[in-house]
Amino acid sequence: MALPRERLQGVCRIGVCGQMHGVVFWKGGHGCKWAGQRFEPEEVSHLVTWQDGRCTGSFLSSLPPPRSHLSVATGFGCATIYWYLRNSPDFLKRYDAAGTIQDYVVTMLCGLEQPRMSVQNAASWGYFNTTPKGWNIDILGESHFPVRLLPTVVDPGDLAGETSCEWHAIPKGTKVGAALGDCQCSVYSCVPESTDAVLNIGTSAQLTILAPVGFHPGESPDPHSPVTHFPYFDNRYLAVAASLNGGNVLATFADMLAEWIAELGLEVPRSVLYPRMIQAALARADTALSVCPTVFGERHRPEQRGSVTHIAASDLSLGHVTRALCHGVVQNLHSMMPSQRLGEAGAKRILASGSALSRNEVLRQEVERTYPFPVVYGKDLDAAAGAALVMLHRK
């Protein structure tokens, strides 16, 4: 639903956020053309997202080690640029600007020649040291990386510029903040106390808590650590356990059931299957069946796959399997960020949200059984609202 025009005309600042890690390329000064009050892409590449899988483990191991506490994984901006450099160098010659998709939007809104990227997005690209807040130019340059594509980096909450044209009734000259990370803005949207842990289970799953004041990560990555420290605001960090396996695992299971049923000559849509799965699992308070749900691997263990153990004839009903699957999703996240670690970080409660949690009472039960903290629902995380709040609170 469109916002009322009179409200849009009163906008004084714009906050933008989006998925980190990905990269899009464009020709500086020719990234878009304005048609009325909207812009349309012009000399722009396809978006390569964090889900891109072309950078294999062997490829990543061939890259120079970064001087950063953050590892480089497939789908990260710098890893993707390295892949093009080695496999399709002519592709890179067509462009002289790059950023995350949200950086592209901000750059087009402001009519900038080159993007101004926040520390949050820069860190998600790899080869960025968050302590001096700079790219690993020496390391990248020695390996012939096209450093000309690296954006200028600013602090989260800093301005990127002003709108160069009227945009959907928002006046020309409206201040626009440098684009931010969706994870950080989601956490900011609920403005938690430092004793609040934030859990989100949607397509994937994340558990986050604010690192202590004064915390600074090292300068070398631990690729096997399941917890990553992302830059937040005011020079603080978020400790994040980001699992690639969340609601997508249950969706995959529902799709598998639908395919099996179709092969039997019947048809049941997933919209019908999913609530039946949950209903069946609610009738099973527990099960001996054990499901490791990591069918999508994990960033710290990309080779890991799912498995089912303790299979008994008595535990093969739809209720048993769905209960075990939900238990496995939560236990996998708990293995990455255990209760003890949350307690040591000062956690007093968990603020929980996400589409998978809101739709699935079984998942909620498993969260409450696993973590010995009060779990508060209904405080929805909204990255867009968080980005707006950052600009509203900007000094």
Side-chain angles (χ1 to χ4, degrees):
M1 183 175 67
L3 292 171
R5 183 178 179 85
E6 60 272 16
R7 298 294 297 273
L8 291 170
Q9 290 174 331
V11 170
C12 60
R13 292 175 183 169
I14 300 173
V16 179
C17 66
Q19 286 189 338
M20 301 182 295
H21 306 302
V23 58
V24 63
F25 304 88
W26 65 92
K27 189 75 173 174
H30 301 278
C32 76
K33 59 181 178 182
W34 282 86
Q37 294 186 22
R38 49 183 266 178
F39 65 85
E40 298 175 352
E42 203 166 29
E43 295 185 42
V44 184
S45 73
H46 291 296
L47 170 66
V48 181
T49 75
W50 61 273
Q51 294 174 300
D52 183 72
R54 75 188 78 187
C55 295
T56 62
S58 59
F59 177 86
L60 292 169
S61 65
S62 72
L63 300 180
R67 186 170 58 252
S68 168
H69 72 283
L70 296 166
S71 301
V72 179
T74 187
F76 283 29
C78 284
T80 300
I81 294 173
Y82 265 123
W83 188 93
Y84 279 119
L85 180 66
R86 294 186 183 180
N87 294 279
S88 186
D90 288 341
F91 170 85
L92 294 176
K93 294 176 183 177
R94 290 155 38 192
Y95 305 105
D96 55 14
T100 65
I101 187 63
Q102 58 268 29
D103 294 314
Y104 167 76
V105 170
V106 167
T107 305
M108 298 306 107
L109 283 178
C110 298
L112 303 175
E113 285 291 324
Q114 295 292 323
R116 287 166 60 84
M117 177 184 270
S118 72
V119 167
Q120 294 174 356
N121 288 330
S124 79
W125 260 28
Y127 293 97
F128 183 85
N129 193 317
T130 58
T131 302
K133 300 179 183 178
W135 299 105
N136 297 167
I137 295 292
D138 52 344
I139 295 173
L140 295 168
E142 289 173 2
S143 56
H144 308 292
F145 183 97
V147 294
R148 61 185 175 81
L149 293 174
L150 296 174
T152 300
V153 179
V154 299
D155 283 328
D158 281 2
L159 293 178
E162 299 179 351
T163 51
S164 60
C165 298
E166 184 177 353
W167 182 52
H168 295 289
I170 297 175
K172 177 182 177 180
T174 301
K175 292 176 170 47
V176 183
L180 304 166
D182 57 346
C183 173
Q184 291 90 333
C185 288
S186 291
V187 173
Y188 197 89
S189 72
C190 63
V191 195
E193 300 292 332
S194 59
T195 55
D196 288 340
V198 179
L199 170 67
N200 181 267
I201 305 181
T203 302
S204 54
Q206 303 86 33
L207 183 57
T208 305
I209 192 164
L210 199 58
V213 175
F215 170 85
H216 290 287
E219 291 200 349
S220 59
D222 179 1
H224 302 297
S225 174
V227 175
T228 305
H229 289 92
F230 288 147
Y232 190 50
F233 298 97
D234 301 320
N235 294 314
R236 296 193 67 179
Y237 289 83
L238 288 178
V240 182
S243 172
L244 301 178
N245 300 273
N248 51 359
V249 174
L250 291 158
T252 299
F253 179 60
D255 287 341
M256 181 192 75
L257 289 178
E259 289 174 8
W260 284 8
I261 292 169
E263 289 178 10
L264 294 173
L266 304 171
E267 186 175 342
V268 180
R270 193 171 84 179
S271 59
V272 174
L273 273 177
Y274 197 86
R276 297 279 179 88
M277 287 164 44
I278 305 308
Q279 186 178 13
L282 287 171
R284 300 289 178 185
D286 206 351
T287 179
L289 193 68
S290 178
V291 174
C292 175
T294 50
V295 291
F296 298 101
E298 293 292 3
R299 287 197 178 97
H300 63 288
R301 295 183 65 183
E303 75 290 343
Q304 185 171 339
R305 291 296 177 263
S307 62
V308 182
T309 56
H310 297 105
I311 302 172
S314 58
D315 295 335
L316 295 179
S317 72
L318 179 61
H320 279 101
V321 176
T322 305
R323 170 66 70 175
L325 199 57
C326 292
H327 179 75
V329 167
V330 177
Q331 284 300 310
N332 179 59
L333 195 59
H334 187 262
S335 72
M336 297 171 67
M337 181 85 82
S339 302
Q340 181 180 352
R341 181 159 185 166
L342 284 181
E344 291 170 351
K348 301 296 184 186
R349 65 174 182 169
I350 294 176
L351 304 180
S353 69
S355 57
L357 271 181
S358 64
R359 297 174 59 196
N360 190 331
E361 186 179 344
V362 182
L363 266 182
R364 297 196 294 272
Q365 289 177 352
E366 293 298 332
V367 168
E368 293 163 18
R369 289 177 180 179
T370 300
Y371 287 99
F373 305 101
V375 181
V376 179
Y377 301 98
K379 187 109 177 176
D380 284 342
L381 307 183
D382 188 311
L389 285 170
V390 170
M391 297 308 296
L392 183 66
H393 296 159
R394 182 181 178 276
K395 296 178 181 178

